[in-house]
Amino acid sequence: MLMLRFLNVVAPAYFLCISLVTFGLQLFLFIPSMFQDPSAAPLCSSALLHGALFLFLSANAVGNYILVIQNSPEDLGTKEDPGLASGGAGDGGKVVPPEQEEDGNGHPGSVLPGTHFCRLCARVTRRHDHHCFFTGNCIGSGNMRNFVMFCLYTSLACLDSLVAGVAYISTVLSTSFASPLAFLTLLPHSISQFFSGALLSSEMFVILMLYLWLGIGLACAGFCCHQMLLILRGQTRYQVRKGMAARARPWKKNLEDVFGKRWLLGLLIPMLNVGSDYQRQKEK
C-alpha cells in the first residue's frame, strides 16, 4: 500500500513534467524552426498551422485532465441513496460505511451493486472503473467521459509532437526517414554518436523524447480504445475483472449515459458531462 501511495504522487508529477517539457520543445524549438522556412507563406505557414493544432490538442488534454480530477466520484459511504431509502434497509437508506461492510474476499466493499471501495481514495464510488495513478483519483461515472477525452487528446498531442520532432531531427541531422527502419535504428546510432561527441546533448534529448512520445501516445490510444469498447458494452473495468455481467441495454444508451446529449461539443472543448445519466441522478 505504501508503494501504491508513492506511485499515486509520483505519476501525476511525471505527467506534469512531461507536459512542461513538451510545451517547451514545441514553443521554443520546433515551431521557431518552422518559421525559418523561406518557402512558407507568412499568413498560412506550416508553423502557424502546427502551432494552432498543438495548442488545440494540448488545451483539450490539459482541460480534460483537470476535469477528471475536479469531478472526482462522490463518496457514497457518507451519502444517502434514494434507491435504498424505501427498500427496508436497516440503516435508514444510507450506505454502510466501508469499514463495516465486506465483500466476498473479506475486503471492505459496498452494499450498492456496481460500486467499489478504493483504499487509496478511501471512498466508495458509483460505477467504479479503475484508479488512475496519473490523475491520482478514481475513474467512475462522474469523470469517465473526461478520462476518455483526456486519453484521446493526449495520444493526439503525442503524435503531433512526434511528427514535429521527426521533422526537426531530419532537418538538423540531415537524416531521411523514408525507410521504416530509419526510426528504429535512430536511437542506437544516436547513442553511439552522442558518446563519441558527434551529437549534441540537446539533439540527443529530442531523440529520447521522440520514443517517449511514441510510447505514451500508443498507451493512451490503447486505453481510449479499450475504454470505448467497455462503454459500448455497458461494462466497467472493475466489473470485467470481477466477472460481472454487462448491462443488457442498447449501445446508444450506454454512450449517452457516459457522454451525454452534447457529446459533439465535448469533442471540441473540455466540459462537464451535461445530459449524462450521472448528471441527471446527481441533479435529482
Side-chain angles (χ1 to χ4, degrees), residues 172-193:
V172 172
L173 301 182
S174 300
T175 304
S176 176
F177 290 92
S179 174
L181 296 178
F183 185 80
L184 298 178
T185 58
L186 176 63
L187 183 60
H189 289 170
S190 301
I191 293 176
S192 61
Q193 292 179 358

Side-chain angles (χ1 to χ4, degrees), residues 122-144:
R123 60 188 171 195
V124 181
T125 58
R126 177 187 285 113
R127 295 286 297 170
H128 176 86
D129 189 85
H130 68 285
H131 182 90
C132 178
F133 290 99
F134 287 99
T135 59
N137 66 346
C138 289
I139 306 300
S141 57
N143 53 7
M144 175 62 70

Side-chain angles (χ1 to χ4, degrees), residues 20-234:
L20 291 177
V21 170
T22 303
F23 268 99
L25 290 177
Q26 286 273 11
L27 298 180
F28 300 107
L29 190 63
F30 297 161
I31 296 179
S33 65
M34 296 179 185
F35 277 109
Q36 299 177 1
D37 186 6
S39 61
L43 295 181
C44 57
S45 63
S46 59
L48 290 177
L49 296 177
H50 172 76
L53 177 61
F54 174 73
L55 291 178
F56 170 76
L57 297 177
S58 301
N60 275 277
V62 175
N64 283 286
Y65 180 82
I66 296 175
L67 289 178
V68 168
I69 301 176
Q70 180 181 352
N71 299 332
S72 299
E74 294 179 318
D75 187 2
L76 300 181
T78 59
K79 291 186 177 292
E80 187 171 335
D81 184 78
L84 296 180
S86 60
D91 56 358
K94 291 184 179 180
V95 179
V96 176
E99 62 270 13
Q100 300 178 10
E101 181 73 18
E102 294 184 352
D103 56 16
N105 299 324
H107 301 296
S110 171
V111 296
L112 290 176
T115 61
H116 172 68
F117 174 72
C118 178
R119 294 181 178 272
L120 292 175
C121 297
R123 60 188 171 195
V124 181
T125 58
R126 177 187 285 113
R127 295 286 297 170
H128 176 86
D129 189 85
H130 68 285
H131 182 90
C132 178
F133 290 99
F134 287 99
T135 59
N137 66 346
C138 289
I139 306 300
S141 57
N143 53 7
M144 175 62 70
R145 199 279 300 275
N146 297 119
F147 175 75
V148 174
M149 291 293 100
F150 162 69
C151 292
L152 173 63
Y153 280 104
T154 300
S155 62
L156 293 178
C158 289
L159 176 61
D160 178 85
S161 301
L162 177 63
V163 173
V166 167
Y168 174 80
I169 289 297
S170 62
T171 302
V172 172
L173 301 182
S174 300
T175 304
S176 176
F177 290 92
S179 174
L181 296 178
F183 185 80
L184 298 178
T185 58
L186 176 63
L187 183 60
H189 289 170
S190 301
I191 293 176
S192 61
Q193 292 179 358
F194 174 73
F195 285 105
S196 63
L199 192 65
L200 299 177
S201 58
S202 60
E203 298 169 349
M204 186 65 204
F205 179 74
V206 173
I207 293 175
L208 292 177
M209 288 300 299
L210 295 181
Y211 291 90
L212 188 60
W213 286 325
L214 177 62
I216 296 177
L218 291 178
C220 289
F223 269 115
C224 183
C225 294
H226 178 64
Q227 208 67 57
M228 284 299 303
L229 179 61
L230 293 178
I231 292 174
L232 291 173
R233 295 168 56 184

